[in-house]
Amino acid sequence: MALVYCTKCRYYPVADSAPKCPKCGAPRSAQTVSQPRSIRTSRSSAWLAFSSDREIHGYAQVCGILAIALAIAGCLIPVIGVLFITPIAIVGNVLALHGGYRRVALVTTVIVLVNLMISPTFWLNVAAGAMGPDFNVNRALSYFDAAGVVAMLSLIAWPRRV
């Protein structure tokens, strides 16, 4: 008796003598001996949560790489980076995450989070308060950055439905 993978739901182990997959009920013809590409048995289960069982869309790859580049640029440019470049990186990160590029979304979120933690411009705008007669666009963008990081961390940690 050999153990095989079901090609429909990628469930392992299925006995090669089983008439159907015990998880999805696919007939025996849908079972294969080879290991699927997207499942790496040498990785931990935490790593598998960030791997993608489906293909990553092209727009997600472009947005993910652009978001990382903008997040790094936001770290290097002192005042304008946090106020104007980082929000664009957060929007690109949302699109990358929507397309299934979870690993890049995590890296971008960490870079943006570190950038916000070390940026005096961000902390000055947050400390000045959201309400008041002198509320301006800079403070609104700082609050958008903070809310974007919280949203990204929660979306990355949210369990995926397959």
Side-chain angles (χ1 to χ4, degrees):
M1 177 182 89
L3 297 176
V4 295
Y5 287 88
C6 174
T7 57
K8 186 172 182 184
C9 70
R10 301 184 189 272
Y11 178 73
Y12 180 82
V14 177
D16 63 348
S17 60
K20 62 181 182 174
C21 174
K23 185 175 179 185
C24 69
R28 184 168 186 221
S29 63
Q31 298 168 4
T32 181
V33 178
S34 65
Q35 180 180 0
R37 286 184 297 142
S38 65
I39 295 179
R40 295 178 176 99
T41 55
S42 62
R43 304 276 188 189
S44 68
S45 61
W47 180 259
L48 288 176
F50 290 104
S51 67
S52 181
D53 291 339
R54 59 186 178 168
E55 281 192 35
I56 298 170
H57 297 286
Y59 76 87
Q61 292 176 353
V62 171
C63 289
I65 293 169
L66 185 63
I68 285 180
L70 289 172
I72 292 171
C75 289
L76 299 177
I77 302 172
V79 175
I80 297 172
V82 172
L83 296 178
F84 300 108
I85 297 175
T86 301
I88 299 170
I90 290 173
V91 171
N93 201 16
V94 168
L95 294 172
L97 187 58
H98 182 266
Y101 216 3
R102 292 173 63 90
R103 284 180 254 180
V104 169
L106 177 65
V107 170
T108 304
T109 303
V110 169
I111 293 171
V112 168
L113 180 64
V114 169
N115 184 16
L116 295 182
M117 289 172 51
I118 64 172
S119 171
T121 304
F122 172 76
W123 291 110
L124 287 172
N125 281 321
V126 170
M131 303 309 272
D134 58 342
F135 182 75
N136 58 20
V137 175
N138 292 348
R139 290 189 196 156
L141 290 173
S142 294
Y143 283 106
F144 176 81
D145 290 345
V149 168
V150 171
M152 286 295 94
L153 288 173
S154 63
L155 287 173
I156 290 169
W158 195 271
R160 289 186 315 159
R161 304 276 186 228
V162 178

